[in-house]
Amino acid sequence: MEEEFINIKTKDGLLDCFVVSPDESGPFNAVIIYMDAPAIREELRDMARRLATSGYLVILPNLFYRVGKEGSYPFTFSKIREDKKHFQEMVKTMDDTTNNLVNDDSKYILEYLDNNKKVKNKKYGIIGYCMSGQYIVTIAANYPEKICAAASFYGVKIITEEKDSPHLLANQIKANLYLGFAEHDTWVDEEKLKHISEHFNLNTKNFRMEVYKNTEHGFAFPDRHTYDKNSAEKHWTRVNSLLKDSF
């Protein structure tokens, strides 16, 4: 595999990213992984590497670059379960990283991919976890000519009471959209799942939703206490199938 750490200039500063691709000559279809709230760590880089072994160039941007980098965030992930201050700071950082900010950042990421000689096809896949569910829907809607595949796993804030709630853009999505949820998730209850299913089935042409039985939020992350191996492997099967069908 070929790996590099790059900085993409945005209007707010330098967006640091991890990029990984097969060591063959390429070019490759490209996929953007949008992180979860605990932010950039080796676990996410390993997931990017795994996806790259299927023949993709994968970019993992640090969506919290405005407040810090790995090792210097306002919170420490390893302490969020035992120290409420770290958990609260993580949630605040997540909430401050708005749809509009990540949507703007994505413009610069897409420009980077458009001008990367290792990338072909100028249509991209996007995958998001946890807090990035909202971003996946928003980006797929706002860049319909660029995004051909979009997947979210245990995504939050997909439907909110805010005027910029992502679900309001559902009819603008041209990509194949897949939303996978945990069966037991304090962030997304049964009523929200029902609302999401009804709304996107009605408003998004190529949509599939799936609830992973006997799982909790975070089930696809190997280092998480809620990790479920069978469901995690199923999630990889869904990702690979979605990308194969979309490119």
Side-chain angles (χ1 to χ4, degrees):
M1 307 295 287
E2 295 185 359
E3 301 180 2
E4 62 179 328
F5 293 89
I6 66 164
N7 290 314
I8 296 175
K9 187 176 181 179
T10 75
K11 63 181 179 63
D12 293 329
L14 293 177
L15 170 57
D16 53 298
C17 305
F18 172 70
V19 182
V20 58
S21 61
D23 52 15
E24 290 88 353
S25 59
F28 311 101
N29 288 313
V31 181
I32 308 167
I33 293 181
Y34 289 81
M35 68 189 200
D36 61 332
I40 300 300
R41 56 196 185 277
E42 188 66 8
E43 182 180 40
L44 287 183
R45 285 189 289 271
D46 282 344
M47 293 174 75
R49 293 178 181 113
R50 174 165 176 170
L51 186 56
T53 63
S54 295
Y56 301 105
L57 181 144
V58 183
I59 181 168
L60 173 66
N62 170 27
L63 303 180
F64 291 165
Y65 72 99
R66 293 175 179 85
V67 296
K69 296 183 178 182
E70 182 180 6
S72 64
Y73 294 123
F75 60 90
T76 300
F77 175 44
S78 63
K79 296 181 179 179
I80 62 172
R81 296 187 69 199
E82 61 189 45
D83 189 332
K84 288 184 179 180
K85 290 183 180 179
H86 285 272
F87 178 78
Q88 291 167 352
E89 196 61 45
M90 182 187 75
V91 173
K92 180 183 183 301
T93 305
M94 174 180 73
D95 290 342
D96 289 345
T97 306
T98 65
N99 267 324
N100 285 336
L101 289 177
V102 177
N103 184 72
D104 287 346
D105 291 340
S106 297
K107 175 182 67 175
Y108 298 100
I109 298 169
L110 293 172
E111 287 176 354
Y112 164 79
L113 294 174
D114 281 347
N115 292 292
N116 191 323
K117 293 181 180 179
K118 295 175 67 174
V119 174
K120 66 179 180 181
N121 188 24
K122 295 190 177 181
K123 285 185 179 291
Y124 309 112
I126 55 176
I127 304 169
Y129 298 88
C130 178
M131 72 167 190
S132 287
Q134 58 184 319
Y135 310 142
I136 293 301
V137 173
T138 301
I139 294 159
N142 286 335
Y143 300 93
E145 304 306 322
K146 289 289 184 183
I147 306 304
C148 63
S152 163
F153 294 90
Y154 32 91
V156 304
K157 297 185 179 181
I158 291 173
I159 292 183
T160 73
E161 299 299 323
E162 302 299 321
K163 63 181 180 180
D164 66 342
S165 177
H167 80 285
L168 300 175
L169 303 173
N171 62 358
Q172 297 176 207
I173 297 173
K174 294 182 180 180
N176 292 319
L177 175 65
Y178 176 90
L179 301 180
F181 294 95
E183 183 176 20
H184 308 290
D185 193 337
T186 57
W187 297 89
V188 187
D189 60 25
E190 287 188 21
E191 187 62 30
K192 284 186 179 179
L193 288 176
K194 181 181 178 182
H195 192 180
I196 290 169
S197 177
E198 291 175 350
H199 183 81
F200 284 89
N201 273 306
L202 183 64
N203 291 284
T204 302
K205 183 177 180 181
N206 301 307
F207 172 67
R208 181 183 179 186
M209 175 172 152
E210 190 170 15
V211 177
Y212 289 63
K213 298 297 182 183
N214 302 313
T215 60
E216 299 178 54
H217 189 93
F219 65 79
F221 295 131
D223 295 340
R224 194 71 61 87
H225 71 285
T226 54
Y227 176 64
D228 183 275
K229 184 176 181 179
N230 289 336
S231 295
E233 290 304 311
K234 180 179 177 181
H235 127 276
W236 283 117
T237 298
R238 295 293 186 261
V239 166
N240 285 314
S241 294
L242 177 73
L243 295 174
K244 182 179 179 181
D245 292 342
S246 301
F247 280 122

